[in-house]
Amino acid sequence: MTMAKEEHLPFTPSWLDMPVGKNVRSFIEHSRVARTVLKVIGVLGVSMVMADGVLTPAQSVLGAIQGISVVSPGISTATIVGSSCAILVVLFAVQPFGTHRIASAWAPIVIVWLLFNFCSGVYNLAKYDYTVLKAFSPFFAGSYLVRNKEQGWRSLGGLLLAFTGVEAMFADLGAFSRHAINLSWLCLAYPCLLMAYIGQAAFISQDATGTAYTNPFFNTVPPHTIWFALIIAILAAIVASQAMITSSFQLLAQIMRMSYFPHIKTVHTSKRFHGQLYMPLANWLLMIGTVIVTAVYNNTTSLGNAYGVCVIFVTFITTCMVTLVALIIWRINFLIVLFVFLVFACLDGVYVSSVLTKIPQGAWFTLMLAFILSTIFILWRFGKEQQWSAEGEDRFQPSHFVVAAENGDLRLTADFGSKQVYTVPGLGIFFDKVGDMVPIVFSQFLRKFCTRQEVTVFFHMRPLSIPSVPLSERYIIQRTSIPSCYRFTVRHGYVDEVATHDIGRVIIETLKKYVSSTKPLAGSGGTSSLFNSSPQVRAELEALTRSFDAQTVYIVGKEQMKIRKGSNIFRKLLLAAFIWMRENSGTKLADMPIPTDSLVEVGFVKEI
């Protein structure tokens, strides 16, 4: 019956049945140019959001403080700028206390702010000109553009500030679910903001002085509420700035995990929400940049020109990326995706073309900042790829590196000179950044010294995106083909303290439990309970105790990079910049409290 139904299906053109998403994915996977273009576009979008992290606090706080000029027209620009800078410095100074504490303290302010906007909008709409509701008809938008021609098109760039902030909504996913964000946005934030803009339009349309548009929010609030509006606006600006700072930290953490940026210290400020981070270096750099921008631009009009270009470019890049996701991941019909893409691409394109006219008026700053950040990200990723390629030459299985002779002595394999490896008392903990094969630091140590400790541990830390990992699930231990050599993997959350001063004791105690509970080897005879007291287990446990009592040595690699001879001048410049950045940036081990008197660094050079 099924076959019969399949035979009588109506004919459809073959081009409708083509797996477009599969073809797009295959093209991207097999085209180096496509992957590079996609990478550059993605990095550019991230860079522009990071540039927003500098501009948003300045724009929000400066715009709120400028409301004082409505109450006191004689106030100087220096006073407004100075007050704004002071608030920004305080905002960045409290970041070490944790974004979740800041958000909890300021959350009610957002609700009050939105409801005040809604009430103001309703008041202005009812009192002045309700006919502005006709603006919901696309006819009047088209009529406006036809009537004003080029000037109307240029004015579109000024509308971008009406929806700034949407590019940072992803930061909310660090603390809330997607459904909670949808509900709060559609049921509270969006209606309140929309009503606020409608009310301002109604007031301005009947304003006889013709000056209300210069500061529409403060000029259109209901009578006797100006001081309340000023206070709540300043507090809401601080909340908006906090959201952008948080999103900047989250983005930076993601690009560090993807190896697009050097490692910098990251502190998780909440045991409940993974996305709430604090980065000391990034925090102070953002503060310096924000204060400088506030002082230089000194008013929201010029700053808005710089701000809008980033927002619309981010939305356009987002449109392109979501289109690819819809085709490849969601597997939505190509025609539906094409229609939606063209609608949003045309809208974004009109705004992009308009905002580009503001580049000479201040928008050049954000483009320059985004270009600098993109260059750093792509340069670091390019250098890391060259480093991984060079390190891949030294990645091999333990059995390909060390073999045991008939008398039990260890020797390097023929590929590495067949030299004998001598054993000295002690415990050697080699830090392994990859977690498989032979760690490069171990292979370099043996090739240089032909010596190993009585017990060797390949120590690898694997961070997980959860607060904590239970002790029963934290450690993964494996024996290697090298005698008395273990691969020790620690799965840890972001609040777990793994590398402590007694890390050697923790490793030994965990290894003893592992050895005592290991099932008998094939052909050894006996049961598991008998094996736990067998001479083999006792000897292994004694070796662990003896090595720890003798000496514990922590061995890390000190890798130096050298540009390979024969590289062209362009490649040399890129790699030279990468090497300089690498030598002046911290490492993940720099934040670990390893006992310095037991630490050994093994230096080696890799050509890239």
Side-chain angles (χ1 to χ4, degrees), residues 469-475 491:
V469 177
L471 285 174
S472 59
E473 304 174 5
R474 185 173 299 178
Y475 305 112
R491 302 165 68 250

Side-chain angles (χ1 to χ4, degrees), residues 180-191:
I181 296 173
N182 289 341
L183 186 65
S184 61
W185 170 252
L186 294 176
C187 297
L188 180 64
Y190 181 65

Side-chain angles (χ1 to χ4, degrees), residues 208-462:
T209 64
T211 59
Y213 72 92
T214 58
N215 203 325
F217 174 75
F218 291 104
N219 284 321
T220 60
V221 296
H224 312 298
T225 62
I226 183 64
W227 282 107
F228 176 78
L230 179 61
I231 295 172
I232 198 68
I234 294 174
L235 296 178
I238 294 175
V239 175
S241 302
Q242 178 60 57
M244 200 66 227
I245 294 170
T246 301
S247 68
S248 298
F249 290 161
Q250 291 180 0
L251 268 182
L252 201 53
Q254 292 178 31
I255 61 178
M256 280 197 302
R257 285 195 294 268
M258 298 175 68
S259 298
Y260 278 91
F261 194 74
H263 172 77
I264 60 176
K265 184 178 180 179
T266 302
V267 179
H268 288 266
T269 59
S270 173
K271 294 183 179 180
R272 184 179 179 185
F273 301 118
H274 173 253
Q276 295 187 355
L277 311 171
Y278 168 65
M279 298 180 176
L281 178 60
N283 183 65
W284 303 125
L285 289 178
L286 279 174
M287 185 193 74
I288 293 172
T290 301
V291 171
I292 291 175
V293 165
T294 304
V296 171
Y297 281 90
N298 70 55
N299 66 84
T300 54
T301 302
S302 58
L303 190 55
N305 293 332
Y307 188 41
V309 65
C310 264
V311 175
I312 193 60
F313 268 107
V314 169
T315 57
F316 180 71
I317 292 174
T318 302
T319 299
C320 298
M321 292 298 185
V322 170
T323 301
L324 288 177
V325 171
L327 287 173
I328 299 174
I329 307 300
W330 300 338
R331 300 180 181 179
I332 299 176
N333 184 278
F334 169 72
L335 295 179
I336 298 176
V337 174
L338 179 63
F339 174 76
V340 175
F341 169 76
L342 290 177
V343 171
F344 282 94
C346 289
L347 289 173
D348 290 339
V350 171
Y351 283 108
V352 167
S353 63
S354 173
V355 82
L356 288 178
T357 61
K358 296 189 176 184
I359 290 179
Q361 304 171 25
W364 62 269
F365 174 77
T366 46
L367 293 177
M368 180 189 69
L369 183 58
F371 174 77
I372 293 174
L373 291 173
S374 300
T375 302
I376 294 174
F377 296 156
I378 294 176
L379 175 62
W380 184 260
R381 176 70 183 192
F382 172 75
K384 293 299 290 185
E385 289 177 351
Q386 302 304 309
Q387 177 184 340
W388 296 334
S389 177
E391 291 175 348
E393 300 172 0
D394 282 346
R395 306 296 299 175
F396 35 74
Q397 296 289 348
S399 58
H400 295 164
F401 181 55
V402 178
V403 293
E406 294 181 358
N407 59 359
D409 293 339
L410 293 180
R411 287 186 175 274
L412 300 179
T413 58
D415 293 337
F416 298 95
S418 301
K419 297 179 182 179
Q420 183 175 350
V421 178
Y422 299 93
T423 302
V424 296
L427 169 66
I429 301 175
F430 292 83
F431 284 82
D432 181 12
K433 63 181 181 180
V434 178
D436 62 355
M437 305 290 188
V438 174
I440 295 179
V441 61
F442 179 73
S443 63
Q444 292 290 335
F445 185 88
L446 256 65
R447 290 163 69 177
K448 287 179 171 62
F449 303 107
C450 294
T451 304
R452 55 157 289 186
Q453 287 76 16
E454 183 178 6
V455 174
T456 302
V457 175
F458 298 158
F459 184 77
H460 172 66
M461 294 186 298
R462 185 174 299 165

